[in-house]
Amino acid sequence: MRRIAAFICIALLMTAAAPCCRAENDMGFPSISAQAAVLTEKTTGKIIYEKNGREHLFPASITKIMTMLLIVEDIETGRLSVDDTVTASRRASTFGGSCVFLAEGEKMSVYEMLKCIAVVSANDCAVAMAEHIAGSEEKFVKRMNDRAAELGLKDTHFTNCTGLFDDGRHYTCALDVAAMSRELIKHDMIKQYTTIWMDTIRNGEFGLSNTNKLVYYYPDCTGLKTGYTSTAGYCLSATAERDGVEYIAVVMHAKNADIRNAEASAMLDFGFGSYELCSLRAPDELAPVRVEMGKNKYVTVVYDGSETALIEKNTGEIGYDIAMEECVNAPVQKGDRLGTVTVNCGGKHVADIPLVAGYAVERMGFWDIFKIIAGGTVGLNADYRQNTVLK
């Protein structure tokens, strides 16, 4: 009996100590204990879950999401090459926290610097890259804030490129972290770095192990960035892609790394288990619309707006109702509304997608009509002349 009681006590203690993600609502969303959290989907940007999403919080090293975004954008626009050599300044070599212990004057390629930032959150490499790109960390931070403004991140302000220091003016929020993460993973090249589990630098002499443990044990994890300081607690922006759908789970100010990882994983599980992408494009080809008195007989119809929507799984068959003009009068401007596709799923309305003119069609002038009557073609066939002029 004592042995049985001991086993029961141990089991209870293990249950109490393990990170717990209980159902928070009828849909089964996990209970989140972190101070702030967001779950969103990459393609549509739909926010599935939000807890204190606009609260200003110190982000620690998930600051480097923006740092990496600027680096990747410079690489893809040709301003920077992964083969460029970066020389560590004295200032960069003095940075502590997570680092690879750069020596003053040490040289590394942009590829290796970015790898160190993505995998081990190297503060010294982040500063070295900021100085290499902008001339100083201060100028680079200005670029970070300018880019945040361009992305509409109204609850974000950076004072450094590392997230190592909290001066009271360095902050962001879970929703803004999700938005900048979404922007970063639009660049597939970053996943070459953020999915590395273990690697080395300095010809194999210095080992790297990813601070994001989900890269190892969460199926289809694509990144993205961890953060920790005593002020920020444990932070994580986790991304995973499966069957063409990619989710972003942001956790800020969790009590420990186990809770941070468990709650991010639980949110990702919920996304994959509960939602799917629905195409907002009807399977049938769109017929062109006839243009009366136009220099072109028809105008091509194209879709406008979002291509996909995020819908709950197993909610029924998807249907597309197309309502379109049979004929319009010239002139037609590119983008003029010509109809609507209404998308339904299981009888529930999903979206209304505009159908618009794919190009402009000018109205025929006097001389165009005269040439037709006189037997000229000006690119128009006899059937068009009969139906347009002699009608």
Side-chain angles (χ1 to χ4, degrees), residues 339-350:
T340 303
V341 172
T342 300
V343 185
N344 298 283
C345 182
K348 293 183 179 180
H349 178 261
V350 174

Side-chain angles (χ1 to χ4, degrees), residues 95 111 119 173 178 186 273 306 328 336:
F95 273 74
Y111 172 83
V119 177
C173 67
K186 289 178 182 178
S306 301
V328 293
D336 280 355

Side-chain angles (χ1 to χ4, degrees), residues 248-280:
I248 303 161
V250 177
V251 175
M252 297 187 72
H253 290 226
K255 290 183 178 179
N256 59 53
D258 287 340
I259 290 174
R260 171 185 72 183
N261 295 341
E263 293 185 349
S265 298
M267 287 196 287
L268 293 172
D269 285 344
F270 180 84
F272 286 120
S274 304
Y275 291 91
E276 62 183 347
L277 286 177
C278 163
S279 174
L280 299 180

Side-chain angles (χ1 to χ4, degrees), residues 203-257:
N203 298 318
E205 295 179 3
F206 190 93
L208 306 174
S209 178
N210 205 316
T211 58
N212 180 11
K213 304 310 175 189
L214 270 62
V215 168
Y216 180 74
Y217 70 75
Y218 190 86
D220 308 306
C221 181
T222 55
L224 187 64
K225 191 70 195 73
T226 62
Y228 169 77
T229 67
S230 57
T231 304
Y234 291 83
C235 303
L236 172 63
S237 179
T239 56
E241 184 174 14
R242 197 175 298 165
D243 299 324
V245 187
E246 190 163 13
Y247 292 98
I248 303 161
V250 177
V251 175
M252 297 187 72
H253 290 226
K255 290 183 178 179
N256 59 53

Side-chain angles (χ1 to χ4, degrees), residues 2-267:
R2 288 180 180 177
R3 183 173 296 177
I4 293 171
F7 279 125
I8 292 173
C9 290
I10 292 170
L12 289 172
L13 286 170
M14 289 177 67
T15 302
C20 181
C21 293
R22 302 179 302 278
E24 189 170 84
N25 51 44
D26 292 339
M27 287 188 65
F29 198 90
S31 176
I32 302 299
S33 65
Q35 189 168 339
V38 164
L39 175 65
T40 185
E41 190 274 327
K42 170 193 169 183
T43 303
T44 63
K46 180 175 179 177
I47 304 299
I48 300 168
Y49 173 82
E50 173 190 348
K51 176 184 178 181
N52 298 327
R54 289 292 174 199
E55 184 176 357
H56 290 190
L57 297 168
F58 179 56
S61 281
I62 55 176
T63 294
K64 297 188 183 83
I65 294 170
M66 181 60 77
T67 302
M68 291 191 290
L69 176 60
L70 294 187
I71 294 171
V72 168
E73 288 178 339
D74 275 6
I75 291 171
E76 293 196 341
T77 57
R79 296 181 59 185
L80 194 66
S81 168
V82 292
D83 297 321
D84 288 349
T85 298
V86 181
T87 303
S89 67
R90 180 177 183 181
R91 183 170 182 272
S93 70
T94 63
F95 273 74
S98 297
C99 63
V100 295
F101 307 102
L102 288 176
E104 181 181 358
E106 184 174 359
K107 299 180 186 298
M108 279 190 186
S109 67
V110 167
Y111 172 83
E112 288 193 320
M113 288 279 185
L114 183 54
K115 180 169 68 174
C116 292
I117 296 168
V119 177
V120 297
S121 194
N123 294 314
D124 44 2
C125 291
V127 173
M129 282 301 304
E131 293 174 341
H132 179 79
I133 290 172
S136 69
E137 185 183 5
E138 290 76 14
K139 291 180 180 178
F140 187 82
V141 170
K142 183 181 184 305
R143 280 190 59 186
M144 292 171 68
N145 286 317
D146 289 345
R147 191 69 179 99
E150 290 171 1
L151 293 173
L153 310 184
K154 297 180 180 179
D155 295 286
T156 293
H157 184 261
F158 301 110
T159 60
N160 60 80
C161 68
T162 62
L164 184 60
F165 306 112
D166 176 19
D167 59 3
R169 298 182 301 112
H170 187 100
Y171 60 83
T172 187
C173 67
L175 282 167
D176 283 2
V177 171
M180 66 181 84
S181 298
R182 182 184 177 213
E183 194 66 24
L184 179 58
I185 60 176
K186 289 178 182 178
H187 304 274
D188 287 337
M189 68 164 290
I190 194 60
K191 296 172 187 178
Q192 300 172 24
Y193 304 86
T194 56
T195 56
I196 293 171
W197 172 235
M198 299 189 77
D199 208 326
T200 62
I201 55 172
R202 300 182 179 118
N203 298 318
E205 295 179 3
F206 190 93
L208 306 174
S209 178
N210 205 316
T211 58
N212 180 11
K213 304 310 175 189
L214 270 62
V215 168
Y216 180 74
Y217 70 75
Y218 190 86
D220 308 306
C221 181
T222 55
L224 187 64
K225 191 70 195 73
T226 62
Y228 169 77
T229 67
S230 57
T231 304
Y234 291 83
C235 303
L236 172 63
S237 179
T239 56
E241 184 174 14
R242 197 175 298 165
D243 299 324
V245 187
E246 190 163 13
Y247 292 98
I248 303 161
V250 177
V251 175
M252 297 187 72
H253 290 226
K255 290 183 178 179
N256 59 53
D258 287 340
I259 290 174
R260 171 185 72 183
N261 295 341
E263 293 185 349
S265 298
M267 287 196 287

